[in-house]
């Protein structure tokens, strides 16, 4: 049964949370945008809960606000978040808890949060935030950038075992015994993680260690560097280009748009697909040498590079690294603490929305 998002307080409480938060605090602007987006998602929340069945759960609006606070302040675990919620008046005000209401138990919070992670709520919330009139006017509709980043899975290399069970492990005591894989050839075709079967062993560049990971994708508009779409896929060599086409397909446009990207997207078939979708590929040229020692043949020709917009896209596209840097360092997603592509993708998309919300107070305050 769905809980109610209502502000309740004791009759004899002398603490006014609204008055305790200073008027120029950035969370005031963020809270207005978040509440407007959540109001539009009321029907989506109703689908996840059966009316009149069971005890009232934590209101999904409060859950999402608490999850946003966890990203804003880089809180490592749900247990620490609930401890902070117990004594921090700012957190109580943002989430909607009264002064006298007890904070939730961390296990109850996690149990209710999983329902939202499984219901595509994060992607709908991101779209609802971008659809707000004040936010929508900040977005570019013509120029975009795309990129991907590795997200380390919540699984160790010890869990990467042969699918047929033919591992030759030395005998050892304890549940964390030694794992012998010296000189063993391992690949995603023959091996799989027992902790997170959907994670893949992958590396993006030479000289880097291969890790069990996913790939997070983001589509950014170039005017203010706000993320307009994103998601997570399994780590493969074609995942970034396939995700880029999927995100562009979700944003149909009658006008020709530009797409900036790094040299990993400099593939002839991908450039051809972009042109067929009425997209001008502003992709960095892959100037590396091939295995034969000759320069690689680029798919970007002179009709694209000659325009000044190409250089502008190459400058703007690098801002997408700020998104990934904030998500990994501030929001704590360098090594995700969830398992499964769908759950990791929901958390990643929610953190993309949190990144936009962190930047909106200054963008909205700037003169037009």
């Amino acid at each position: 049964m769905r809980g109610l998002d209502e502000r309740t307080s004791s009759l004899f409480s002398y603490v006014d949370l609204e008055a305790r938060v200073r008027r120029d605090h950035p969370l005031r602007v963020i809270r207005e945008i978040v509440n407007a987006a959540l109001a539009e998602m009321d029907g989506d929340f109703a689908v996840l809960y059966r009316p009149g069945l069971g005890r009232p759960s934590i209101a999904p609006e409060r859950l999402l606000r608490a999850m946003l606070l966890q990203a804003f302040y880089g809180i490592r675990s749900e247990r620490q978040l609930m401890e902070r919620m117990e004594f921090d008046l700012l957190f109580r005000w943002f989430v909607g808890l009264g002064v006298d209401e007890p904070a939730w138990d961390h296990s109850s919070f996690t149990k209710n949060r999983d329902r939202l992670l499984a219901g595509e709520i994060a992607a709908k919330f991101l779209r609802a935030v971008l659809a707000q009139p004040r936010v929508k006017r900040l977005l570019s509709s013509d120029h975009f950038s795309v990129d991907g980043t590795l997200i380390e899975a919540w699984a160790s290399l010890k869990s990467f075992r042969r699918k047929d069970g033919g591992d030759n492990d030395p005998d050892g005591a304890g549940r964390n015994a030694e794992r012998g894989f010296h000189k063993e050839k391992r690949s995603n075709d023959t091996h799989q993680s027992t902790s997170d079967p959907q994670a893949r062993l992958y590396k993006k560049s030479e000289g880097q260690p291969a890790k069990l990971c996913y790939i997070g994708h983001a589509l950014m508009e170039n005017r203010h560097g706000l993320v307009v779409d994103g998601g997570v896929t399994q780590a493969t060599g074609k995942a970034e280009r396939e995700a880029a086409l999927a995100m562009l397909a979700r944003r149909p446009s009658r006008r020709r748009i530009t797409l900036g990207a790094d040299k990993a997207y400099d593939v002839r078939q991908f450039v051809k697909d972009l042109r067929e979708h009425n997209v001008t590929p502003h992709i960095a040229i892959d100037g590396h040498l091939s295995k034969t020692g000759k320069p690689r043949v680029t798919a970007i020709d002179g009709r694209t590079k000659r325009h000044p917009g190409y250089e502008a896209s190459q400058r703007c596209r690098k801002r997408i690294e700020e998104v990934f840097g904030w998500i990994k360092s501030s929001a704590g997603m360098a090594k995700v603490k969830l398992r499964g592509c769908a759950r990791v993708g929901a958390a990643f998309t929610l953190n993309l929305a949190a990144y936009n919300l962190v930047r909106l107070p200054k963008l909205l305050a700037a003169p037009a």
Side-chain angles (χ1 to χ4, degrees), residues 140-148 216-230 240 243-245 247-248 251 257-262 265 270 274 279-284 309-324 352:
S140 171
S141 58
D142 299 321
H143 307 291
F144 300 89
S145 296
V146 70
D147 203 358
H217 311 275
L219 181 67
M220 178 192 75
E221 56 86 30
N222 288 353
R223 181 181 296 170
H224 291 102
L226 297 175
V227 181
V228 296
D229 202 351
E240 292 187 75
L245 293 174
M247 289 187 290
L248 290 172
R251 299 185 62 83
I257 64 175
T258 66
L259 182 70
D262 60 26
Y265 296 82
F270 178 70
L274 290 182
V279 178
T280 301
H282 286 181
I283 298 174
Y310 177 79
E311 295 296 331
S313 290
Q314 289 303 300
R315 292 193 302 269
C316 291
R317 72 169 178 83
K318 298 176 182 179
R319 297 183 65 183
I320 203 168
E321 298 296 340
E322 300 176 12
V323 181
F324 296 146
L352 292 178

Side-chain angles (χ1 to χ4, degrees), residues 188-358:
N188 292 314
D189 295 331
T190 58
H191 290 65
Q192 187 180 57
S193 171
T194 57
S195 301
D196 189 353
Q198 293 185 327
R200 293 292 179 266
L201 193 66
Y202 189 76
K203 64 178 180 178
K204 288 190 70 175
S205 59
E206 296 294 333
Q208 297 295 322
K211 298 181 179 180
L212 289 170
C213 56
Y214 296 93
I215 298 185
H217 311 275
L219 181 67
M220 178 192 75
E221 56 86 30
N222 288 353
R223 181 181 296 170
H224 291 102
L226 297 175
V227 181
V228 296
D229 202 351
V232 165
T233 63
Q234 290 183 312
T236 64
K238 299 180 180 179
E240 292 187 75
R241 298 186 292 274
E242 292 173 351
L245 293 174
M247 289 187 290
L248 290 172
R250 292 196 289 266
R251 299 185 62 83
S253 175
R254 296 182 179 179
R255 297 184 298 179
R256 177 169 288 274
I257 64 175
T258 66
L259 182 70
D262 60 26
K263 60 188 178 183
Y265 296 82
D266 187 7
V267 178
R268 190 175 301 277
Q269 183 60 47
F270 178 70
V271 172
K272 180 181 177 181
D273 293 337
L274 290 182
R275 296 190 186 281
E276 291 177 354
H277 287 79
N278 205 26
V279 178
T280 301
H282 286 181
I283 298 174
I285 296 174
D286 187 354
H288 287 177
L289 298 179
S290 63
K291 294 181 179 180
T292 60
K294 297 181 180 180
R296 293 182 182 273
V297 178
T298 178
I300 306 299
D301 51 28
R303 59 178 174 173
T304 300
K305 295 185 291 183
R306 66 183 179 180
H307 295 288
Y310 177 79
E311 295 296 331
S313 290
Q314 289 303 300
R315 292 193 302 269
C316 291
R317 72 169 178 83
K318 298 176 182 179
R319 297 183 65 183
I320 203 168
E321 298 296 340
E322 300 176 12
V323 181
F324 296 146
W326 185 89
I327 286 179
K328 289 185 175 183
S329 61
S330 298
M333 281 208 72
K335 186 179 180 74
V336 68
K337 296 180 180 179
L338 298 168
R339 289 174 177 149
C341 194
R343 300 180 70 206
V344 174
F348 181 81
T349 305
L350 185 66
N351 285 329
L352 292 178
Y355 173 81
N356 287 344
L357 290 168
V358 166

Side-chain angles (χ1 to χ4, degrees), residues 89-107:
L89 296 182
L90 179 65
F91 276 40
R92 285 180 169 270
W93 168 82
F94 186 85
V95 171
L97 282 177
V99 177
D100 303 309
E101 287 186 82
W104 313 300
D105 184 83
H106 68 92
S107 60

Side-chain angles (χ1 to χ4, degrees), residues 29 33 134-135 137-139 221 223-227 319 355-368:
V29 179
I33 298 172
R134 290 191 297 170
V135 180
R137 66 178 180 84
L138 299 174
L139 305 179
E221 56 86 30
R223 181 181 296 170
H224 291 102
L226 297 175
V227 181
R319 297 183 65 183
Y355 173 81
N356 287 344
L357 290 168
V358 166
R359 299 196 58 233
L360 282 176
K362 286 188 176 181
L363 292 177
L364 294 175

